[in-house]
Amino acid sequence: SAAFNPDARMEALATKRDKSPTPPPEEHYDASKEVRGKGVGFYAFSKDEGERKREMEELEAMREETERGRQEREERKAKRAREVEERKRVIRRKREEKEADRFLRELG
């Protein structure tokens, strides 16, 4: 049937569609063309490519700094939890020794 045997005209259209002579222009999102609330996380990058690259690098550096701070905070939190657990273990051991001594005194 014709659906499985494309003619030369269909092949020409397909090749024309699949390849373009020049790459598309490099465009970035332009927030000024939309009238809506962008939200608190929106950052309008510059239209100048060099400035845009610098802004993106700064944003990445801030993100990495935030990640480092988050990691350090989690490590401090985990260390504190280990210290608290160790103190509880020491107190529990002392309490058990005290109760064992009291029990032995009552026996003898």
Side-chain angles (χ1 to χ4, degrees), residues 9-77:
R9 188 171 40 116
M10 291 299 290
E11 287 179 18
L13 284 171
T15 56
K16 185 177 177 183
R17 178 196 67 213
D18 293 340
K19 65 176 187 177
S20 61
T22 59
E26 193 169 308
E27 292 182 14
H28 300 292
Y29 174 72
D30 185 6
S32 65
K33 292 184 179 179
E34 286 191 26
V35 180
R36 65 179 179 92
K38 308 298 190 296
V40 71
F42 179 76
Y43 186 87
F45 289 105
S46 174
K47 290 178 184 39
D48 176 50
E49 200 60 38
E51 180 71 15
R52 179 186 187 84
K53 184 175 174 66
R54 187 187 62 74
E55 290 172 344
M56 291 181 92
E57 288 170 354
E58 285 179 3
L59 191 62
E60 179 66 21
M62 284 190 284
R63 188 188 70 78
E64 289 172 0
E65 181 181 334
T66 300
E67 289 295 322
R68 274 194 307 276
R70 188 174 292 153
Q71 181 69 28
E72 290 171 1
R73 189 173 59 245
E74 288 298 319
E75 289 170 1
R76 284 193 309 267
K77 189 176 175 182

Side-chain angles (χ1 to χ4, degrees), residues 86-96:
E86 178 62 23
R87 278 194 230 126
K88 284 181 180 179
R89 192 180 59 75
V90 168
I91 291 169
R92 195 175 307 120
R93 191 187 74 230
K94 285 181 180 180
R95 185 177 297 140
E96 288 170 355

